[in-house]
């Protein structure tokens, strides 16, 4: 089987930096991706790591280490609007995306 | 505008009354899938389709059917809904971009079965 583990909740204050970890037990996947979902909304794509290392997109960065079966999403300069759920996901050949259970991020002022 | 359209957005129905939730995408994507989302359980895959006439079960397929007669449409059918199928449902599509991991989601269908 395959599973992705994430913390269920993370809290932080505005302007801070937060890291959301994702560990997985699967192999042969294309890469690790991250999605954001605001309450009541649809998930939206944030980032994708095909290779090991850090990918940066503005305030958000994502990291993958296949040897450690581990990745993370790093959010910098947190804003209130970053309060949302964040999901890591993997895709293998011939399957749809498989998601972790999500991490709820609460940003306070 | 690239989008995935689901209908209806909200639905309340009674146990046993067949229903269909429609999903359509305008991006010519090969992959389409259905997920249900329940508190604390994340997004669980119901069915997915790699292309026309090719479908496969996900993690929670019991009580659901799908069809993929055209590339753009992927309806979800509940032949005899039960209260445990009360949930938030999402349809998603993806192409080959970002290794196939960039999925586009519909706005969701909140289903209540009483």
């Amino acid at each position: 089987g395959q599973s992705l583990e994430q913390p269920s909740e993370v809290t932080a204050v505005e302007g801070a930096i937060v890291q959301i970890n994702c560990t997985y037990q699967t192999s042969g996947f294309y890469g690790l991706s991250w999605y954001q979902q605001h309450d009541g909304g649809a998930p939206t794509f944030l980032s994708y790591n095909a290779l090991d290392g850090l990918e940066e997109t503005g305030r958000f960065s994502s990291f993958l280490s296949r040897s450690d079966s581990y990745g993370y999403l790093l959010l910098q300069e947190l804003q209130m609007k970053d309060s949302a759920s964040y999901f890591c996901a993997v895709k293998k050949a011939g399957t749809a995306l498989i998601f972790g259970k999500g991490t709820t991020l609460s940003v306070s002022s | 505008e690239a989008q995935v359209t689901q209908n209806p957005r909200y639905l309340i129905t009674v146990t046993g009354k067949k229903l269909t939730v429609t999903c359509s995408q305008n991006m010519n994507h090969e992959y389409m899938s259905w997920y249900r989302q329940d508190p604390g359980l994340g997004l669980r895959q119901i069915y997915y389709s790699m292309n026309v006439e090719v479908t496969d079960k996900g993690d929670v397929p019991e009580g659901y059917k799908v069809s993929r007669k055209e590339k753009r449409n992927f309806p979800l059918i509940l032949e005899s809904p039960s209260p445990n199928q009360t949930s938030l449902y999402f349809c998603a599509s993806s192409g080959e971009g970002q290794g196939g991991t960039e999925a586009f989601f519909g706005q969701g269908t909140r289903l209540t079965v009483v």
Side-chain angles (χ1 to χ4, degrees), chain B residues 22-55:
Chain B
T22 63
C23 175
S24 180
Q25 52 97 0
N26 63 0
M27 295 165 280
N28 201 37
H29 283 164
E30 291 79 20
Y31 283 93
M32 296 187 75
S33 50
W34 278 101
Y35 297 86
R36 60 177 290 174
Q37 187 171 32
D38 303 288
L41 297 178
L43 290 154
R44 293 183 293 167
Q45 193 185 120
I46 302 172
Y47 269 95
Y48 63 93
S49 170
M50 294 173 60
N51 216 321
V52 175
E53 301 292 3
V54 181
T55 63

Side-chain angles (χ1 to χ4, degrees), chain B residues 2 7-8 18 24 26-27 31 35 44 46-48 51 54 59 62-63 65-66 80 83 85-86 91 97 102-103 110:
Chain B
N7 279 298
K18 181 180 178 180
S24 180
N26 63 0
M27 295 165 280
Y31 283 93
Y35 297 86
R44 293 183 293 167
I46 302 172
Y47 269 95
Y48 63 93
N51 216 321
V54 181
D59 298 321
E62 294 77 22
K65 286 176 57 177
V66 293
S80 182
Q85 292 178 297
T86 292
C91 176
E102 183 178 5
R110 189 167 292 279

Side-chain angles (χ1 to χ4, degrees), chain A residues 11-73:
Chain A
T11 59
V13 297
E14 274 187 304
I17 300 173
V18 72
Q19 179 174 311
I20 299 174
N21 298 322
C22 175
T23 58
Y24 56 86
Q25 294 179 8
T26 189
S27 60
F29 63 95
Y30 292 144
L32 187 71
S33 56
W34 289 91
Y35 284 76
Q36 179 191 59
Q37 184 183 29
H38 284 100
D39 197 28
T44 57
F45 176 84
L46 282 179
S47 68
Y48 169 61
N49 290 71
L51 304 173
D52 285 5
L54 191 68
E55 294 282 342
E56 299 182 63
T57 308
R59 294 188 296 114
F60 294 2
S61 303
S62 56
F63 173 83
L64 174 63
S65 169
R66 289 177 185 264
S67 59
D68 295 323
S69 298
Y70 165 72
Y72 65 72
L73 179 69

